[in-house]
């Protein structure tokens, strides 16, 4: 591992992350719309003309074009370079904080496997965070797929298969029992989507059972702080526009006699329009994801700070 120049390794992992970040923007745009992420190729969302390769360079193209599409002049969302930059930063963080902290005698093959598996996790979580923030929906491809990948790759992280399996089950139950089962008994509807429970299952499968408590605790604190800041600045928390549109479509279908739509409106935490201050739900997934990433990169330091005897 020490035979490769450090500058070359850093440049390579940043570039690799940036390229995958460009693909993540396709995933974030198309998956909620149930479109293929493979076909057609990259095209302008406004005029649907194909995007040339020289206009699809991560971050740089956005800066050169000054945030406007070359084909029709439509404004490009700053989310695109942000996702690409975050993907590059996560790729570098994995190399610096995970791969370079492996024992000195670690083989290049093992180090590469750890890097690729962790990068897959981080990229999936990054896409899920942006999708959940806009649609309040966590794709099963990330939550369940990430849980399966965690179990298969458990030995790479020094975790026994049994601990990974127990972690997945305990993580799911930690959110499902109080926020879905018990909350529904008291309030008549779920207080949290199953996506969040699946996300905690992913965390448990990846790092082991104790991690689920850490991720839930840290995620809740960060979500509360964010909500407090938003209330101070705006006076209220607005639902994402996509959530409002989905609920309106379901309501129209229910009024036309669609029984499945009626069932969804009754069971979904987002099926009822929020009433009163403090009642608007927030996307919890991004804060759980932030907790997972914090544990991945700084877990030992954070646990030692929280519990000195750790």
């Amino acid at each position: 591992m020490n035979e490769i120049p450090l500058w070359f390794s850093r440049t390579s992992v940043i570039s690799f992350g940036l390229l995958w970040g460009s693909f993540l923007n396709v995933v974030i745009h198309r998956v909620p719309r149930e479109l293929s992420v493979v076909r057609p190729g990259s095209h302008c969302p406004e005029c649907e003309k194909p995007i040339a390769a020289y206009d699809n360079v991560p971050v740089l193209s956005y800066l050169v074009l000054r945030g406007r599409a070359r084909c029709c002049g439509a404004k490009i969302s700053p989310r695109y370079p942000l996702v690409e930059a975050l993907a590059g930063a996560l790729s570098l963080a994995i190399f610096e904080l995970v791969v370079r902290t492996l024992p000195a005698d670690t083989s290049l093959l093992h180090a590469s496997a750890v890097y690729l598996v962790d990068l897959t996790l981080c990229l999936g979580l990054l896409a899920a965070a942006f999708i959940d923030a806009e649609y309040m929906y966590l794709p099963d491809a990330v939550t369940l797929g990430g849980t399966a990948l965690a179990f298969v790759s458990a030995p790479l992280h020094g975790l026994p298969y049994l601990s990974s399996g127990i972690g997945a089950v305990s993580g799911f139950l930690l959110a499902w029992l109080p926020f879905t089962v018990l909350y529904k008994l008291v309030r008549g509807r779920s207080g949290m989507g199953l996506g969040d429970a699946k996300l905690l299952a992913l965390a448990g499968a990846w790092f082991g059972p104790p991690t689920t408590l850490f991720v839930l605790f840290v995620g809740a604190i960060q979500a509360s702080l964010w909500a407090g800041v938003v209330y101070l600045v705006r006076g209220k928390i607005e639902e994402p526009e996509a959530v409002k549109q989905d609920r309106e479509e379901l309501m129209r279908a229910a009024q036309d006699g669609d029984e499945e739509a009626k069932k969804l409106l009754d069971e979904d935490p987002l099926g009822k329009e929020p009433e009163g201050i403090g009642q608007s739900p927030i996307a919890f997934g991004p804060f759980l994801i932030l907790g997972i990433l914090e544990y991945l990169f700084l877990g030992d330091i954070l646990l030692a700070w929280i519990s000195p005897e750790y």
Side-chain angles (χ1 to χ4, degrees):
M1 218 165 57
N2 295 327
E3 297 175 358
I4 302 175
L6 190 56
W7 67 267
F8 180 81
S9 297
R10 285 172 171 162
T11 302
S12 298
V13 297
I14 292 173
S15 301
F16 193 61
L18 288 171
L19 288 173
W20 278 105
S22 182
F23 175 71
L24 285 190
N25 278 314
V26 176
V27 172
I28 293 167
H29 178 77
R30 297 187 187 184
V31 166
R33 295 171 172 82
E34 298 182 350
L35 301 173
S36 169
V37 298
V38 179
R39 296 180 180 178
S42 296
H43 59 275
C44 176
E46 291 294 325
C47 67
E48 298 189 354
K49 289 185 178 179
I51 297 176
Y54 53 78
D55 283 336
N56 210 18
V57 180
V59 181
L60 183 61
S61 290
Y62 180 87
L63 297 176
V64 171
L65 294 172
R66 298 182 181 180
R68 296 281 179 179
R70 188 188 298 274
C71 50
C72 62
K75 186 177 180 180
I76 302 172
S77 170
R79 185 203 77 204
Y80 286 84
L82 175 61
V83 169
E84 292 162 352
L86 286 174
L90 286 171
S91 181
L92 179 62
I94 293 167
F95 175 71
E96 295 287 351
L97 301 176
V98 178
V99 175
R100 293 192 67 201
T101 60
L102 294 171
D105 60 350
T106 301
S107 69
L108 179 60
L109 180 62
H110 181 86
S112 299
V114 170
Y115 166 77
L116 290 174
V117 167
D118 282 1
L119 182 64
T120 301
L121 167 71
C122 290
L123 294 179
L125 292 177
L126 181 59
F130 278 88
I131 291 173
D132 196 34
E134 186 173 357
Y135 293 90
M136 299 188 77
Y137 145 72
L138 290 164
D140 284 347
V142 174
T143 55
L144 298 183
T147 301
L149 177 62
F151 183 77
V152 171
S153 64
L156 281 176
H157 300 95
L159 191 67
Y161 287 119
L162 181 60
S163 295
S164 180
I166 293 175
V169 173
S170 62
F172 183 85
L173 293 177
L174 180 64
W176 180 69
L177 283 175
F179 299 112
T180 300
V181 177
L182 296 179
Y183 191 94
K184 189 172 183 178
L185 288 174
V186 176
R187 300 292 298 272
R189 63 172 61 234
S190 299
M192 178 186 286
L194 282 180
D196 295 321
K198 295 172 187 175
L199 197 55
L200 280 176
L202 181 154
W206 208 275
F207 303 109
T211 312
T212 57
L213 285 170
F214 172 88
V215 170
L216 182 59
F217 177 72
V218 170
I221 289 177
Q222 292 173 150
S224 299
L225 291 173
W226 177 85
V229 171
V230 172
Y231 274 124
L232 287 173
V233 174
R234 298 182 180 176
K236 61 179 179 178
I237 294 178
E238 291 279 0
E239 277 188 308
E241 195 60 36
V243 173
K244 295 179 183 178
Q245 292 174 1
D246 286 346
R247 183 169 55 241
E248 289 171 1
E249 290 178 7
L250 282 174
M251 291 176 70
R252 285 195 293 268
Q255 290 171 357
D256 292 337
D258 189 326
E259 293 299 324
E260 186 176 349
K262 293 179 182 178
K263 185 178 179 181
L264 286 171
L265 287 171
D266 288 337
E267 296 180 353
D268 196 321
L270 302 174
K272 186 178 180 182
E273 204 169 328
E275 298 176 359
I277 188 168
Q279 296 301 308
S280 293
I282 65 171
F284 193 33
F287 301 100
L288 291 177
I289 288 169
L290 186 57
I292 294 172
L293 294 177
E294 287 164 347
Y295 190 88
L296 173 65
F297 298 125
L298 304 169
D300 290 343
I301 297 174
L302 291 172
L303 288 177
W305 179 68
I306 294 172
S307 178
E309 59 272 8
Y310 168 74

